[in-house]
């Protein structure tokens, strides 16, 4: 029972892709210490961005594709270790799914461009 925000890599920053946590901006620079720690440690970070209680990395082959920021629980309790593990695993699965969707999108675009090039060459 907490606010959730999904941030995805976009050039030199991470941009809000869905949801939101009060107090977090729509754009977070890649050099913010909490984001650097996500890349370096490849593990969740606690209280790294002020308003977020947890930052959960979404990794693909060592690259930080994005992260999920969770606000504090509404009842004020801390996340338990078993909750942190489940949330971390879920964030990783979401990241892999988003990466697979992006690959599918790129493959469709590649097929479209190849078909267009073939059509142009035929004329």
């Amino acid at each position: 029972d907490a606010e959730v925000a999904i941030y995805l890599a976009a050039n030199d920053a991470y941009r809000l892709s869905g949801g939101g946590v009060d107090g977090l901006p729509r754009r977070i620079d890649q050099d913010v210490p909490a984001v650097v720690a996500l890349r370096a440690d490849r593990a969740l970070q606690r209280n790294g961005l002020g308003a977020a209680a947890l930052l959960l990395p979404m990794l693909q082959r060592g690259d930080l594709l994005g992260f999920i920021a969770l606000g504090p629980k509404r009842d004020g309790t801390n996340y338990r270790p078993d909750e942190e593990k489940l949330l971390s695993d879920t964030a990783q699965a979401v990241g892999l799914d988003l990466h697979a969707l992006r690959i599918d999108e790129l493959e469709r675009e590649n097929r479209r461009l190849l078909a267009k090039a073939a059509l142009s060459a035929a004329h």
Side-chain angles (χ1 to χ4, degrees), residues 15-16 23 47-48 65 78 91 93-94 117:
R15 297 194 186 280
L16 182 65
N47 303 315
L65 303 175
N78 291 327
V94 168

Side-chain angles (χ1 to χ4, degrees), residues 49-89:
L49 288 174
L54 293 178
L55 300 178
L56 307 162
M58 295 186 291
L59 302 162
Q60 168 64 22
R61 294 186 180 159
D63 292 331
L64 184 63
L65 303 175
F67 58 91
I68 297 175
L70 291 177
K73 289 183 177 181
R74 295 193 198 281
D75 66 7
T77 61
N78 291 327
Y79 290 94
R80 298 184 319 262
D82 63 311
E83 291 174 318
E84 289 181 355
K85 172 74 170 119
L86 179 62
L87 291 165
S88 291
D89 291 348

Side-chain angles (χ1 to χ4, degrees), residues 24-37:
L24 290 185
R26 297 185 61 76
R27 178 188 180 281
I28 297 174
D29 189 79
Q30 68 179 357
D31 295 327
V32 168
V35 175
V36 171

Side-chain angles (χ1 to χ4, degrees), residues 4 13 19 29 33-34 39 45-46 49 52 57 68 71 80 87 94 103-104 107-109 113-114:
V4 178
D29 189 79
R39 282 196 311 269
Q45 300 295 308
R46 292 175 189 84
L49 288 174
I68 297 175
R80 298 184 319 262
L87 291 165
V94 168
I103 295 297
D104 288 346
E107 287 176 349
R108 279 193 304 276
E109 179 65 9
L113 292 171
L114 288 172

Side-chain angles (χ1 to χ4, degrees), residues 106-121:
L106 291 171
E107 287 176 349
R108 279 193 304 276
E109 179 65 9
N110 187 45
R111 284 192 300 272
R112 186 188 71 76
L113 292 171
L114 288 172
K116 185 177 179 179
L119 188 61
S120 293

